[in-house]
Amino acid sequence: MAVANKATAVAVTADMPVPDAPVRSAEIMPFRPPMRPMLERVGETARHLVQVILPPLIVLAITLFVWQLLCSEPGARLPPPSKVVADAWDFIVDPFYDNGGIDKGAFWQISKSLGRVAIGFSFAAVVGIALGVLIGQSTWAMRGLDPIFQVLRTVPPLAWLPLSLAGFRDSHPSALFVIFITSIWPIIINTSVGVRNIPQDYRNVAAVIRLSWWEVFYKITLPATVPYIFTGLRIGVGLSWLAIVAAEMLIGGVGIGFFIWDAWNSSRISDIIVALVYIGIVGFLLDKLIATVGHFVSHGVAAQ
Amino acid sequence: MDKSYLKFEQIGMSFRRGQMATEVLRDVNLTIDQGEFVSLIGHSGCGKSTLLNILGGLLTSTTGEVFLEGKVVDEPGPDRAIVFQNHSLLPWLTVYGNVAIAVDKVFGSSKTKAERHDWVMHNLELVQMAQAKDKRPHEVSGGMKQRVGIARALAMQPKVLLMDEPFGALDALTRAHLQDSVMEIHARLGNTVMMITHDVDEAVLLSDRVVMMTNGPSATIGEILKVPLARPRRRLELATDAEYARCRAAVLEFLYARHRVPARAA
């Protein structure tokens, strides 16, 4: 019997019920994907690194090399990279020094600016999301507010500074206000678009299970809008970082913005260049921070 | 008042856009018994979905009323749970969470927390999705999403289960699988079901009656076909069944010989 059924994967024994219908069975071969050798997987990781890390490093090296060439001859107006590192060495190696007044290390300068951004941006996030939801939910709120917002959002950040100085009579709250007013527009606009774009299906589901107004808001509207809100927050944090550097140049005191202005006044060009690099890196990290938070809050729905 | 379970009485529906009013449905009368499986079939734009949404309470008919157990239907509610065509799962909730949001709302006061949990799991098991309860919708296949949509609707213990082309977006094999699941669940629970479909085989295979709609505008019920096939039905046996073939031919004849789409016969 077993011999007769050689083609089937399971040998049929005598006490098994034999079906009436003719048995037509194909041989089933278990498929085992071969384990990839360790070496190959390591190689793959290495290839990934080469593809992602290497290109920017090469471009950076070429840029530095050309810069070095261009600025090396005597009489060059800007310092070459080698001179920047040599001049600003103290500033680079000790970010924590504090000589009193505004003569502080890079860490303190940047923390001060980041602190201002944190406060102004937090206000902008809360007010912006609230206004965005209002405009998204209510057609009349949109008709009334949207045209005004569209005009106001084009006003450059620094144009608000004199007005806020006049209003607050103090530089610190004025700087916070400039950050607030700069970063709030994209938050409002993206939130309202998000609320408007909630699929009718979700509203239907809410209607069928009879969620109350408040339940619809926090169980449907907010989670459905999270990806849009975080798009707005990302743009907003980038703008507020742009605005704070400019605002600090004008209001003075400790902060990476005024540090640059101060360095220009005392002809420390190398310090300016190092500060620019720091500003760029911090701005990049801020953007990544918001994107990562958004990724987790939206359970991977928001783009990273 | 008569004792019919679910009754559509003189339903008419017009949509107004500016000066133009389009009459979508006119004089729709239909009575459905408890436990009956009825499907609505017709060409696109014949108002099938409109009729289903009126029953679901998502739309209000211009004229006429729908009665469920003698009571007028005038708002959406869990006693008329809907399985939407594109599953409509909330992407930020897990499979479990999508069923639980309905169960917690509908049975929040009548069941304890543990009972609600058991009820969610029971319904996920009914559609064979219990093992995927912690996955999010984007991590499971289209057929699995629709299973969860069915579980969510069943979990509300609706008097009538409404299905709006529930398998339209699925491939043929997955669709057959889900049709079998729905037949099995219907046999087990005895729900009253109203289903919209485009698929003649699906309509005949699943339904006790097939309601055929004429073309819009001003669509109405053209004909109602009783499907006298015994249950449980098996698709393989029915493929060669004479009665099945007759029913199928009747629906095809209605749709393609007598009520083909006139303007868009492309």
Side-chain angles (χ1 to χ4, degrees):
Chain A
M1 189 94 189
V3 177
N5 276 307
K6 212 170 184 177
T8 56
V10 181
V12 179
T13 52
D15 53 358
M16 274 180 145
V18 179
D20 301 331
V23 180
R24 279 174 296 165
S25 57
E27 190 172 5
I28 295 171
M29 300 269 286
F31 175 71
R32 286 204 195 83
M35 275 293 285
R36 289 182 307 155
M38 187 70 178
L39 205 65
E40 196 181 307
R41 274 179 288 165
V42 171
E44 206 160 280
T45 317
R47 202 175 317 133
H48 175 75
L49 281 180
V50 165
Q51 282 169 351
V52 175
I53 311 281
L54 210 54
L57 285 182
I58 292 172
V59 172
L60 189 64
I62 294 173
T63 312
L64 288 174
F65 180 70
V66 172
W67 176 8
Q68 182 78 31
L69 277 187
L70 289 175
C71 299
S72 283
E73 53 205 84
R77 293 186 187 165
L78 295 176
S82 56
K83 192 164 182 305
V84 168
V85 173
D87 285 353
W89 187 247
D90 292 341
F91 186 64
I92 297 170
V93 291
D94 184 10
F96 298 107
Y97 73 85
D98 185 350
N99 297 336
I102 61 165
D103 190 7
K104 293 179 199 286
F107 175 81
W108 304 114
Q109 305 279 5
I110 290 173
S111 326
K112 186 76 182 173
S113 304
L114 274 178
R116 288 181 174 129
V117 166
I119 297 169
F121 179 69
S122 302
F123 272 108
V126 172
V127 178
I129 292 171
L131 279 174
V133 170
L134 177 71
I135 296 180
Q137 299 268 24
S138 152
T139 310
W140 280 106
M142 188 196 68
R143 285 183 192 158
L145 292 171
D146 193 58
I148 297 169
F149 288 169
Q150 296 297 345
V151 171
L152 287 183
R153 76 186 176 89
T154 63
V155 175
L158 281 191
W160 292 100
L161 190 59
L163 190 66
S164 55
L165 280 171
F168 292 109
R169 308 228 166 245
D170 186 9
S171 62
H172 186 61
S174 303
L176 298 183
F177 177 77
V178 168
I179 293 169
F180 170 83
I181 204 75
T182 309
S183 55
I184 196 169
W185 310 117
I187 301 174
I188 294 176
I189 291 166
N190 279 283
T191 305
S192 67
V193 168
V195 172
R196 242 155 238 290
N197 282 353
I198 294 175
Q200 185 60 38
D201 289 336
Y202 298 177
R203 299 182 195 275
N204 287 346
V205 170
V208 168
I209 62 180
R210 291 211 181 117
L211 294 180
S212 65
W213 179 89
W214 171 243
E215 286 169 324
V216 171
F217 180 73
Y218 81 88
K219 286 188 174 172
I220 308 282
T221 309
L222 269 192
T225 317
V226 157
Y228 290 87
I229 292 177
F230 272 89
T231 305
L233 291 178
R234 269 179 91 174
I235 301 172
V237 85
L239 289 180
S240 59
W241 190 238
L242 294 181
I244 188 60
V245 172
E248 282 177 346
M249 285 187 174
L250 294 177
I251 62 172
V254 178
I256 195 72
F258 189 68
F259 174 85
I260 290 176
W261 195 245
D262 190 45
W264 158 244
N265 283 330
S266 30
S267 301
R268 288 180 280 123
I269 305 298
S270 298
D271 281 2
I272 297 178
I273 292 169
V274 173
L276 289 188
V277 172
Y278 285 167
I279 290 173
I281 291 171
V282 170
F284 176 78
L285 292 178
L286 278 178
D287 183 68
K288 283 287 164 226
L289 174 73
I290 301 285
T292 308
V293 173
H295 187 74
F296 280 106
V297 173
S298 68
H299 303 296
V301 179
Q304 200 161 4
Chain B
M1 194 64 240
D2 60 343
K3 289 193 287 295
S4 48
Y5 188 65
L6 173 63
K7 184 170 188 174
F8 293 83
E9 206 170 77
Q10 288 297 113
I11 295 291
M13 185 74 188
S14 306
F15 288 107
R16 193 168 275 286
R17 178 173 288 173
Q19 298 290 310
M20 292 269 291
T22 322
E23 189 178 43
V24 179
L25 292 172
R26 175 192 284 175
D27 299 341
V28 176
N29 290 294
L30 179 65
T31 314
I32 295 175
D33 292 330
Q34 186 161 14
E36 209 179 358
F37 197 123
V38 172
S39 46
L40 277 179
I41 197 164
H43 292 286
S44 304
C46 73
K48 308 183 291 285
S49 288
T50 308
L51 192 60
L52 193 89
N53 283 335
I54 291 171
L55 172 57
L58 297 171
L59 292 174
T60 308
S61 61
T62 321
T63 60
E65 303 277 14
V66 181
F67 297 94
L68 178 58
E69 288 190 317
K71 285 193 214 69
V72 174
V73 165
D74 53 4
E75 58 170 354
D79 57 339
R80 283 153 287 123
I82 306 178
V83 178
F84 296 95
Q85 180 177 12
N86 44 2
H87 65 77
S88 299
L89 298 183
L90 305 174
W92 56 88
L93 296 177
T94 59
V95 162
Y96 179 91
N98 267 288
V99 180
I101 190 177
V103 170
D104 288 346
K105 182 66 191 172
V106 177
F107 300 109
S109 50
S110 58
K111 285 189 202 284
T112 66
K113 209 169 174 214
E115 282 171 341
R116 295 201 299 265
H117 167 79
D118 291 345
W119 182 239
V120 172
M121 290 313 294
H122 170 76
N123 280 282
L124 285 175
E125 272 154 26
L126 211 55
V127 295
Q128 295 141 36
M129 284 299 292
Q131 77 291 346
K133 71 182 174 74
D134 295 322
K135 291 216 160 76
R136 292 192 193 280
H138 65 91
E139 294 170 319
V140 302
S141 69
M144 289 163 105
K145 285 186 195 121
Q146 201 52 279
R147 283 177 188 275
V148 180
I150 293 171
R152 178 174 62 188
L154 287 175
M156 300 179 210
Q157 284 195 314
K159 291 176 180 155
V160 193
L161 180 64
L162 315 189
M163 303 210 274
D164 189 355
E165 284 186 54
F167 316 125
L170 304 175
D171 64 272
L173 285 176
T174 312
R175 192 186 307 173
H177 241 91
L178 273 179
Q179 288 165 351
D180 291 345
S181 291
V182 165
M183 278 197 286
E184 206 177 284
I185 290 166
H186 179 241
R188 189 140 35 126
L189 305 180
N191 315 71
T192 311
V193 183
M194 186 157 170
M195 177 180 79
I196 289 182
T197 181
H198 271 130
D199 182 337
V200 176
D201 285 297
E202 180 172 288
V204 175
L205 180 65
L206 296 181
S207 319
D208 297 313
R209 280 190 297 161
V210 180
V211 173
M212 293 173 265
M213 307 272 296
T214 61
N215 289 322
S218 307
T220 188
I221 294 175
E223 214 169 282
I224 299 179
L225 174 80
K226 256 185 148 36
V227 183
L229 297 167
R231 291 179 189 271
R233 298 172 181 169
R234 286 189 189 73
R235 68 178 64 243
L236 279 180
E237 293 163 14
L238 289 178
T240 50
D241 187 288
E243 190 60 35
Y244 178 83
R246 184 190 66 80
C247 293
R248 197 171 172 277
V251 179
L252 285 172
E253 210 262 340
F254 178 89
L255 287 179
Y256 298 105
R258 281 188 280 153
H259 291 276
R260 54 190 316 157
V261 181
R264 291 177 297 134

